[in-house]
Amino acid sequence: LSWDVSNWVEVDLNFDESEVRKIGGLKSEDEKINVEIIRFTRYEDESLRYARVGFIANAPSVGYRVYKIMRDEPKKENKNFIRIKGNIIETRNFDVRFNPENGFIYVIKNGIKVCRANELVLEEEIGDLYCHKETTGCPLKTEGGEGVKYGSYRMKNFWIDGSPIRQVINIEVDYFSLRWPYRLVDALKPKIWRHNFRELRKRNYYEPEG
């Protein structure tokens, strides 16, 4: 590419016994960056056998960049912070709010909702590779409630994890073809769920802006 690129990178590393005991960060020339240890295994002497690390790499427009392992964590202050407060992920320029009731994600900037995202849509699709048809004229069901009234999505679980350099919203959702009662759903919560048609998992990654 003819321009610099900054992106999330994951690398698998293998070590000899007693070679490396700790990965505190990475260094490339004068740049020192934090690193996330995604998973690892150790030898009997507690040195690292294998590690999968993730970090935000900055690649030049022409050529390549080499990162070396550091034992200690970088001490420089990162202005591009990222942190969790309840169901909100805060960054320097915007916030991401997660609604545990329906799984929606709202992007907020300066206290104003910019957009809503992360909505699942189940569409009807019949026919073959060359001819697609619909009979209902609308999605079978969306997480927002649009579509056929009998079925519905149900939030099963959610959690936020990650590291100081990124956060991950994990959402597990089931779609049931039948719920009861299916009328007056704003006033009456469903008591019966039948025919678990889909088990879905969504993962949303958030990194501090450069």
Side-chain angles (χ1 to χ4, degrees):
L1 298 176
S2 58
W3 58 86
D4 294 349
V5 177
S6 178
N7 209 339
W8 178 262
V9 175
E10 294 185 6
V11 181
D12 293 312
L13 303 173
N14 294 283
F15 306 102
D16 294 330
E17 189 171 1
S18 303
E19 182 181 7
V20 175
R21 295 186 178 275
K22 178 183 178 182
I23 300 177
L26 298 176
K27 179 180 180 180
S28 178
E29 298 178 351
D30 295 332
E31 180 188 18
K32 297 180 180 179
I33 61 174
N34 291 305
V35 64
E36 177 183 333
I37 309 298
I38 299 173
R39 54 179 174 267
F40 65 91
T41 59
R42 293 185 181 274
Y43 290 101
E44 291 184 0
D45 66 350
E46 296 299 319
S47 62
L48 289 171
R49 177 194 297 268
Y50 159 82
R52 183 176 183 86
V53 300
F55 60 97
I56 300 175
N58 298 305
S61 58
V62 178
Y64 61 92
R65 172 162 288 180
V66 177
Y67 287 90
K68 297 181 179 180
I69 295 174
M70 298 171 50
R71 177 183 299 177
D72 300 323
E73 296 182 6
K75 296 182 179 180
K76 70 173 185 178
E77 182 181 357
N78 186 7
K79 296 181 180 179
N80 299 323
F81 68 90
I82 182 169
R83 60 175 174 241
I84 298 175
K85 285 188 176 180
N87 295 333
I88 301 176
I89 296 178
E90 295 182 343
T91 67
R92 179 165 58 93
N93 293 323
F94 66 91
D95 298 338
V96 177
R97 183 187 300 272
F98 170 73
N99 187 337
E101 295 294 328
N102 50 31
F104 290 162
I105 289 176
Y106 300 93
V107 178
I108 301 172
K109 187 176 180 65
N110 299 325
I112 301 174
K113 290 183 180 180
V114 178
C115 65
R116 187 184 79 179
N118 206 47
E119 181 178 8
L120 290 173
V121 178
L122 180 63
E123 296 182 337
E124 180 188 23
E125 187 174 309
I126 58 177
D128 53 30
L129 179 63
Y130 305 100
C131 181
H132 300 274
K133 300 178 181 179
E134 289 185 354
T135 59
T136 59
C138 66
L140 288 179
K141 200 66 178 182
T142 70
E143 282 187 298
E146 181 184 358
V148 179
K149 61 185 176 183
Y150 304 105
S152 181
Y153 291 94
R154 185 173 70 175
M155 176 76 63
K156 182 165 63 175
N157 193 16
F158 89 94
W159 67 97
I160 301 176
D161 57 20
S163 69
I165 57 177
R166 72 166 183 172
Q167 301 295 333
V168 183
I169 297 179
N170 300 272
I171 305 168
E172 294 179 349
V173 181
D174 292 336
Y175 175 75
F176 290 84
S177 300
L178 179 64
R179 60 174 173 171
W180 186 90
Y182 50 81
R183 298 182 185 275
L184 302 175
V185 293
D186 294 334
L188 302 174
K189 292 184 178 181
K191 297 183 178 180
I192 298 176
W193 298 82
R194 292 291 184 270
H195 308 300
N196 190 348
F197 183 68
R198 285 284 187 271
E199 294 182 357
L200 306 160
R201 181 173 179 179
K202 300 181 284 186
R203 303 189 74 186
N204 303 269
Y205 298 87
Y206 299 94
E207 304 162 8
E209 308 96 304

